[in-house]
Structures are given as C-alpha cells and as structure tokens.
Amino acid sequence: MSPHTTQLQQQSSSTFPARPAGRPYTVLIAALGGEGGGVLAEWLVEVALRCGYYAQSTSIPGVAQRTGATTYYVEIHPEPLAVLGGRRPILSLAPAPGGVDLFIASELLEAVRYVANGLVSPDRSLVIASTSRTLTTAERMQMGDGRMDEAALVETLHRHSQRCIAFDIAAATRAAGTAPSAVMFGAIAASGLLPFAREEWERVVRESGRGVEASLRGFARAWDVVRAGGEPEAVAPPAVAAAPTGAIDGFPAEVQDMLVPGLARVQDYQDAAYGRLYLERVRQVLEAERRSDPAALNGYALTRETARFLALWMAFDDIVRVARLKCSASRFSRVRSEVKAGEGDLLRIVDLFKPGIPEIAGLLPASLERRLVRWEARRRAAGKPPFGFSLHLSTTSVSGFLALRFLAGLRGLRRRGVRFGREQAMIEHWLTQIRNAAAQDWRCALEIALCGRLVKGYGSTNDRGRENLAHILDHLAAVAMPPEAKAEAVRKAREAALADEGGQALDRVLIGNGAPPRPVKAQPVVWLTRKAGSAAGR
C-alpha cells in the first residue's frame, strides 16, 4: 500500500452537502489491469486540489488481471482548507467495511466481489458498476457455460447498496475510443457525490495531456448515462436476430442467424463443397423437424441448434486451422489494437506451439496414423510422458510467417487424414440419432442436438467430450423408455457431463436410467526403483 497525500493549491468557500461533522467523502475504485485506474485516482485527487480540498489516495495492486482488481481508495475532507485554520486532517489509508460513500467497478463480478467483502453498505453506498464481463479463470475452465448470471449479479448490487447505477463501461469506452478511466471519471463526476462543477472535472482531463479529445468523449458519455440513471436493460438477453443479409433460400427465417455464419465458417474452414455438405445436413434435420412439428410451434429450434453446433463441429480445431488463424490479417490488427500499438510502433509476436502425436497423426492416412499411435502407446506404457515438442515461432518474422502459411496451406490434406474421417463419421451418427428421435418426440431430438455442446476444445478435452457423446448416443438413447423420460434423461446426462470433468456425475445419471457406465480406461502403472539411502527410504 503506497499512500499519496496531496495538499490543496486553491481555496474554496463551498462545502459538501450536510453530513456528520468531519466525516470524509470516501471513494473506492476497482479497475482491472491496463484500464487506467491509477490515472483515475490521480484525476480524482487533482479535481479536489483545484477546488480547495484536502485529499489522499492509496492503491492496493491486484494479484492478476482476473484474480482480483487493483483497488484505489480516495478520501476527501468535507471542509476546504480555508476554514480549517491551518489544521491538516488525518485521513485513512484503506476503506472500512460499510464506510464507502461511492464504489465504482469496471467489471460486474468485481463489483459483487467487493459487496461480498462487506465494503458496500445498503444505507450509505452509491454503486456504479459496469455490466460488461471479463471472464474469470474459473468460468473459463468449465466444460459447459460457466458464466455467472449477469442479471443476478446486478440484482445483488441493487439489494446491497443504497443506490446502484449499472451501465456498460466497456461499450462506452469503445464508442469513445478512449480508456475506461475517462468513462469512470465521468461517472463519478455525474454521481453528484462531490459538489465540483462539471467544468472543473473536464479541466483536469484537458490539462492531463493524455488523449484529451477521446477522454472528454468518454467523460461526456458516462455523464449522460449516469444522470439518466444507468442502463439496467443492458444485461437483458438479446432477442433472436432477424434474417441477416445473405439469407439462404429454402430455410426459414428463424434459423438464418445461425445458418448464414455457420455456412461462412465451414466454407472458410475447408471449401465450397464442404459448405454444401453443411447445408445438406441441416436440410435433412429441417425436414425431420417439419414432420415432427408441422405447425412450427417451436420456432424451428431443433434445426437452429443443430446448425449452430454442426458448424462448430465441422470446423474442428487442428494444426492447419490454428496456423491459418495465427497468420490472418485480422489477427494482426486485433493484436495491434489490444496492445495499443501506434502507426510507427514495431510489433513482434512470438507464438508458442506444442504439437503432440494427436495433432501430427490427425493429418496422416490411417496406415501411418496407426503406426505412430502404436509407437506412442509403447512410450506411454514404459512410463514416458506424452511426446511433444515446444516451438517458439516469431510470427512477425518472414521465416515464421512463411512457416505458418505453409501449415495453413495443408488444408487440402484434411480429407485424406484419419481424423477428418473419424469426425465426419461421428457427426453423421449424431445427426442420424437426431432425425430418428424427431420421428418419435421433438423434445428428445432437441436434447440430443444440444449434446453437440459436448464436443469442444482440443486434445484430451475434445476426446473426452466425443467419448461422452458417443456413450450417450449408443447406450442411453437406446434404452427403452417413454419419449418424455428419455428426453429428460438425455438432458441430465448432458448437464452432468458438462459439470463434472471426471465423469462420475455422468455415470450416476447413466446407471440411474438403465444405461451402463462409461468403460474404465486402462492406465499404465509405472514402478520406480528407490535408491538406497534416499530420503524416501529412510
């Protein structure tokens, strides 16, 4: 904790609104790394200085970008120095639980975290929070949708604060082309907590010399939003979009928002013929749904969800796709934007690759793939770690870029590779089960279609998802039970597989519905010789 105490250079006869004598105004700021939280704290102290008040700020660094925001705490004495007769207030270095007048956070879950820590009080604190999210590591680790419920988070803020204003700080920042600190500064100014005129706040920004015009745009946006009471509707789920430009003939409007980008993704992944295969597969599911739900009472949800997960599955990750994405022009533009590189700045990108046997063997014909897999199996049985090698490739160098372009150009080999054939066979099996289920019960077909969520990621995560899906299709879907019960069983199995990486929850659901559990996988047992006289042997 590093205190930064400042003394006022100007005097003012104005005072803050009535409050307990001598109680300072307290502002707590929570900002993620790179969002300008330090600049915001400096600006806040500076505006107090200009108006003749004594102020102090401290900061506590966060552990990392999403394991804890850096907090900035500012206290401002409620009386100007002119009436203190030469006395100097003693201000606190850290906020006290329930003693914060205004708390502002640039990320929604960070705001709730400080509420949980007891720093926000329902009878005192004004909370200004962004509705935008930067997912935590724990949320990203989930096999399914591990995101927190945004509406519930906002409701928590309202319940535990005297007043809460929620709006999308990240969106306002992008629209103004500035940093979050400028938007948050405008939000604090507009809150009415501090009686400084708007001109004083803006003057601090102008004299900072840091992207002044963009900062003032962000300031103005936040001022208008906060004065209007925020944008609580920003967390409402988006409505289904209308048919986008380039709608595909022969398909209803309800599925176009998934079908059009899905087709573009598949064609970009391979070629036009692969795109035609995608449309034919979706069309077969559409025909099955029309027979199952001729009145379209369910809004073609079965076809829509199938189109979504089919596009993702058909464009599965392999070394060719990774290389193509790494050397794309859009990727270079995005990186330059993220690191805020200027026109004259030199940017160097170094990518780390660690290909193993699955990535290499996936592009080989079946005969070569089997030899390579057997060789790796012998190595693993001997207790050796999985084969792989690390590559640090300078993507922005000529040699590094050409190497990526060479890998990306191997797209034509995919169809001859063993993995491509296996993925297509598994996709057809999944689609067949969807169509067969639709002939019996629409909801059961939808639950099977949603099982496409199990196939995601790469490496062991992808293998585990496909194995779980295959077991559900081959065993649980084959159990004789009423259609409604089967639909519910498939839903529970899918959710269990997404919630438990180890698979114990999935096994319980399978057994409970009359299906066998997943087979136990053989694991090599490695015996190590203990050296005589070693610490372990004593």
Side-chain angles (χ1 to χ4, degrees), residues 256-274:
Q256 295 287 347
D257 65 322
M258 289 295 172
L259 192 66
V260 172
L263 175 61
R265 182 187 183 95
V266 169
Q267 287 179 331
D268 179 72
Y269 179 81
Q270 189 62 29
D271 51 30
Y274 203 44

Side-chain angles (χ1 to χ4, degrees), residues 377-388:
R378 289 194 297 269
R379 292 184 70 259
R380 297 297 306 278
K384 296 181 180 180
F387 176 81

Side-chain angles (χ1 to χ4, degrees), residues 19-69:
R19 60 192 293 104
R23 191 176 82 181
Y25 275 79
T26 56
V27 179
L28 181 62
I29 302 163
L32 302 183
E35 293 184 336
V39 173
L40 173 58
E42 291 176 5
W43 283 354
L44 190 54
V45 170
E46 182 66 21
V47 75
L49 285 175
R50 291 178 176 279
C51 294
Y53 291 85
Y54 192 83
Q56 175 177 282
S57 70
T58 58
S59 65
I60 303 177
V63 178
Q65 295 234 352
R66 278 312 283 122
T67 55

